[in-house]
Amino acid sequence: MCTEECLRRATGARVTRRAALFGAAAAAGGLTLSEPAAAASSASALTGPRRGLRDLTYPLTTTFPAFADGEEARRRTYVTIEDDGYYMQEWRLVEHTGTHVDAPGHFTAGGRLSPELTLDELIVPAVVVDIARKAAADADAEVTVGDLKAFERRYGRIPRGAAVLMYSGWGAKAGSVDAYRGTDADGVLHFPGFSADACEWLLEKRAIRSLGVDTLSIDPGRSEDFPVHLTLTGADRYGVENLANLASLPRHGATVVVGLLPFEEGSGGQARVFAIW
């Protein structure tokens, strides 16, 4: 999600009880870093017969909405075929622009960074929790524990080691910075995300691998202390933000592949994300 602006908003926020709880659980082995069953299932999806394949990545552009002004990508032509014999661009990027990953170290001091995330963490089963109707009526809508339980009643249990993806329909607003951020007259952002209780429930009850959203942040836009980020990264899990095309995925049964750029000392970074089922 954000960089300097986000940290300014969170200044003074302490690690929450949730983050401490799940960080301790991860360290104790309650939330393991390897999920053999999930990894085997993901490998099977990649090598077996396929019914669907979908790109979940927005093209990286200088106009895609950033969390805060000044964080937009910038580019210039570096060399040209006419003058230099080959074409190449130079980009100026923050790690949390466009479709990207929040590594554990983004919010948790000493947390693992981009190069340390392993393939079995980045290729995982996925479920899609649809809150689009609720989000259409309320820009501050959250994925709740009730939504997760309703999902399981209809589609089956969320797999251990899964990526849980929120579909809110927010991608329809991606062409407008103001609409995608949902900024009000006081400068407060309004867009959907996960509730802290839902994140806690998914970690404790389902041992998930990651959360993903089709908005700028896994926390709702109006959040000031980012409890979902603190809880998720404190449990040594990662988030994926600004996902595209989630409406076209099956609600249960896909595998996501997160092609994270392993920036040196990266707090996260841009990723090519796609789904197979």
Side-chain angles (χ1 to χ4, degrees):
M1 42 168 286
C2 61
T3 54
E4 294 179 5
E5 176 67 16
C6 170
L7 294 176
R8 282 196 294 271
R9 290 175 59 186
T11 296
R14 294 171 296 175
V15 174
T16 63
R17 177 178 176 276
R18 289 184 173 93
L21 171 66
F22 290 107
L31 295 173
T32 62
L33 298 181
S34 177
E35 302 289 356
S41 174
S42 300
S44 176
L46 291 174
T47 58
R50 275 205 317 261
R51 291 173 289 133
L53 179 65
R54 187 74 71 238
D55 196 338
L56 308 183
T57 314
Y58 283 104
L60 185 59
T61 69
T62 58
T63 58
F64 189 85
F67 191 90
D69 290 337
E71 296 181 358
E72 299 85 359
R74 301 174 189 173
R75 68 181 178 91
R76 72 179 184 92
T77 301
Y78 191 71
V79 294
T80 66
I81 293 174
E82 292 76 13
D83 293 338
D84 305 283
Y86 59 101
Y87 169 61
M88 189 161 60
Q89 296 184 105
E90 178 182 73
W91 285 80
R92 179 267 187 191
L93 296 170
V94 296
E95 293 168 332
H96 299 270
T97 302
T99 302
H100 69 272
V101 166
D102 289 357
H106 183 38
F107 266 76
T108 297
R112 289 186 302 147
L113 301 175
S114 301
E116 298 174 275
L117 295 180
T118 62
L119 290 180
D120 66 330
E121 297 175 88
L122 298 170
I123 305 172
V124 293
V127 300
V128 179
V129 180
D130 185 344
I131 63 163
R133 182 175 296 181
K134 183 164 64 170
D138 179 10
D140 299 316
E142 298 180 354
V143 177
T144 65
V145 174
D147 292 326
L148 298 172
K149 291 181 176 179
F151 173 92
E152 292 197 329
R153 286 193 295 270
R154 182 170 183 180
Y155 298 106
R157 187 181 177 91
I158 295 168
R160 182 179 178 86
V164 179
L165 311 179
M166 176 196 79
Y167 169 64
S168 69
W170 222 246
K173 303 175 185 288
S176 165
V177 173
D178 289 340
Y180 198 64
R181 289 180 183 168
T183 311
D184 65 20
D186 296 321
V188 177
L189 307 187
H190 297 276
F191 53 75
F194 282 87
S195 72
D197 287 343
C199 179
E200 180 178 351
W201 188 88
L202 286 166
L203 288 166
E204 181 180 5
K205 303 296 185 182
R206 297 296 179 264
I208 62 161
R209 175 60 59 196
S210 66
L211 296 178
V213 292
D214 59 352
T215 60
L216 284 160
S217 172
I218 56 176
D219 278 285
R222 64 179 177 176
S223 175
E224 295 183 352
D225 53 2
F226 309 104
V228 177
H229 277 85
L230 289 169
T231 300
L232 188 72
T233 63
D236 196 35
R237 268 40 185 172
Y238 68 89
V240 189
E241 294 164 339
N242 297 319
L243 288 168
N245 299 322
L246 292 180
S248 60
L249 267 62
R251 296 300 179 251
H252 197 297
T255 293
V256 293
V257 179
V258 181
L260 170 63
L261 286 174
F263 289 126
E264 181 179 8
E265 299 295 319
S267 67
Q270 284 71 34
R272 185 72 179 265
V273 184
F274 57 93
I276 300 170
W277 65 95

